[in-house]
Amino acid sequence: MRLPTPAIAQRMPASVRSLRARAGKPRAQLSPGYPDFVIVEQSAAPLDTDCATARDTVGGTVRPGVTARGAARPLRARSAALLLALAVAGCAQSPADPEADAPVGNAVHSSDAAAAPTTLTGAGVFKPRTTMAIVYNRKLVPKGAQASVTAESTGGKTVTSLVVEGLVPNHRYGAHLHVAPCGKGPADAGAHFQHIAGRADATSEVWLDLKTDGSGAGRATARHDWPLTGEVPHSLVLHARPTTPSEQPAPRIACLTLN
């Protein structure tokens, strides 16, 4: 900033002439020929100054204990003001600023997040004393009968497959996934697994009804547009008859525990 000429020095505002009294004790020098005019060193808060100091300087106030360097502003150059503005702007983006760290929204919504792939399996020869593949009715599940089941969940969909061998030939069986592992009693497997609680149909439950061929073999597959998340089924129960929604499920005749 260019200093005024001596010819107009006497017309300078009183606020400028009294800078010595208002500027505290900044580093300064007396201007030759202007005993009441103080040239304050242009030392705005540096960019590495703490953010609180920079903000206080821009606001025109200095908190107790904070250096007054750069607080006197009568002859601050425009470049110094620009430096301060940049310093404060930098503070606004600093990770140490709680407001800058505050989340502005969820980056990924739960409905958009893909569920982790899940595979459940169970297999074995039906025997009377093993809960991995246990038989409750030897008439409909002859000795040597066996089964395997796989439930694969990926990409928001679930495919469940059942294969049986050695059952009664040309017989229709019901089969469902249940909520609990197999036990010594038919009721130990609990209720039908339901994706939507309280909804007892083939879109919410996993039904695998099948009819065996002449050798007692058969297979069934169920597909659903939902993943296995949270609570998952723990067993497959074989029923004496196919599923009839309007009636109570047929007696449980065998069970496979899923792992």
Side-chain angles (χ1 to χ4, degrees):
M1 180 176 180
R2 299 184 61 185
L3 297 179
T5 63
I8 62 172
Q10 298 303 320
R11 289 179 292 178
M12 297 179 67
S15 60
V16 175
R17 292 197 303 271
S18 61
L19 276 175
R20 183 190 302 272
R22 292 192 297 114
K25 295 182 180 181
R27 288 185 293 172
Q29 59 180 352
L30 295 181
S31 174
Y34 301 93
D36 292 327
F37 190 81
V38 178
I39 302 175
V40 180
E41 180 183 357
Q42 301 305 319
S43 56
L47 292 179
D48 59 351
T49 293
D50 66 283
C51 294
T53 302
R55 282 193 290 264
D56 289 339
T57 302
V58 170
T61 61
V62 178
R63 296 180 300 169
V66 177
T67 177
R69 192 180 175 194
R73 300 182 297 167
L75 294 181
R76 176 181 299 160
R78 292 185 180 181
S79 61
L82 178 59
L83 285 175
L84 269 179
L86 292 174
V88 174
C91 289
Q93 300 300 322
S94 169
D97 189 339
E99 294 183 359
D101 286 343
V104 296
N106 294 327
V108 179
H109 298 285
S110 58
S111 59
D112 298 331
T118 301
T119 300
L120 303 174
T121 61
V125 176
F126 291 113
K127 298 179 180 180
R129 288 179 293 275
T130 172
T131 56
M132 294 304 297
I134 189 169
V135 58
Y136 306 120
N137 184 324
R138 271 300 185 204
K139 182 177 179 180
L140 293 175
V141 184
K143 187 175 181 179
Q146 58 186 303
S148 66
V149 61
T150 300
E152 294 181 319
S153 177
T154 184
K157 299 180 182 295
T158 300
V159 178
T160 308
S161 300
L162 171 66
V163 177
V164 299
E165 295 179 1
L167 296 179
V168 175
N170 303 311
H171 184 84
R172 293 184 180 275
Y173 292 88
H176 313 98
L177 296 189
H178 283 243
V179 297
C182 304
K184 293 182 178 180
D188 292 345
H192 288 184
F193 169 79
Q194 294 178 336
H195 175 66
I196 301 174
R199 184 170 179 175
D201 60 28
T203 64
S204 176
E205 300 182 352
V206 181
W207 295 358
L208 294 162
D209 293 5
L210 56 83
K211 180 183 178 180
T212 58
D213 60 16
S215 66
R219 63 179 61 241
T221 300
R223 293 177 171 83
H224 295 88
D225 291 329
W226 40 257
L228 289 173
T229 58
E231 293 296 325
V232 298
H234 291 281
S235 63
L236 176 130
V237 172
L238 200 63
H239 294 262
R241 297 187 306 274
T243 305
T244 304
S246 60
E247 300 178 2
Q248 290 294 322
R252 304 179 185 191
I253 57 176
C255 183
L256 284 175
T257 293
L258 304 180
N259 296 303

